[in-house]
Amino acid sequence: MHVLEKAKKPLSALKDSVVDVNAINFWLQKFNPLWSGNQALGKIVQKENAANEMVSLTIQVNRLFKMGEAGQHHPVFARVNGIRYERTYSLTQLDDQHVLLSVKKVNTGIVSTWLVEQAQVGDILEFGQPFGDMTLVSNSTPLLLLAAGSGITPMLSLLKAMSK
């Protein structure tokens, strides 16, 4: 933090120098793996084989998770062999505390392979902020959705949102 920034916000600077958010998260997560002071986290609560080399993961999210609009993508962070990877996926909101993540294994994909083959119920994932502008327009014009492959996932999210 720059000296000028510290001078503008002395209490914030003092808090940042005294409070270690990572240490707080470490101890909070000893009580509940979804508790965090600053991280949007999710716990895999159900894993289903959706198709050949494809899984659907039901994930319970914590209070810091920001649900995007239908059709947007979320950064998903996963640790594979001790290395933290980031990939983006479309999620489908199931209710206020659960999302659905469907993943097809990519032969050279480290994260997709881990999610399909090794991820288990109870594993924790971290999420970033949703992004993207493939969202529903609020008008009554007929809508045509076309998708192929994994592009079907945001379409399912859009259809679910339109059915509400």
Side-chain angles (χ1 to χ4, degrees), residues 12-27:
S12 179
L14 178 63
K15 178 193 69 126
D16 292 343
S17 64
V18 174
V19 175
D20 181 357
V21 177
N22 293 323
I24 291 171
N25 288 342
F26 174 82
W27 289 109

Side-chain angles (χ1 to χ4, degrees), residues 8 10 18 20 26 30 46 53 74 84 87 91 98 102 120-121 126 130 143 145 149:
K8 290 179 184 176
V18 174
D20 181 357
F26 174 82
K30 295 295 181 191
Q46 186 175 355
E53 297 190 328
H74 282 77
R84 184 176 187 249
R87 299 294 184 268
L91 304 176
H98 295 88
S102 295
Q120 298 178 23
V121 170
E126 183 183 347
L143 185 63
L145 301 175

Side-chain angles (χ1 to χ4, degrees), residues 2 4 6 9-10 28 30 34-35 38-39 56-58 62 67 69 71 90 102 113 122 129 134 137 141 147:
H2 291 72
L4 292 176
K6 287 183 180 180
K9 300 178 184 177
L28 285 173
K30 295 295 181 191
L34 289 180
W35 287 358
N38 66 342
Q39 297 171 308
S56 289
L57 305 172
T58 301
N62 69 3
M67 177 52 71
E69 293 181 50
S90 293
S102 295
T113 298
Q129 295 298 311
M134 191 175 89
V137 180
T141 311

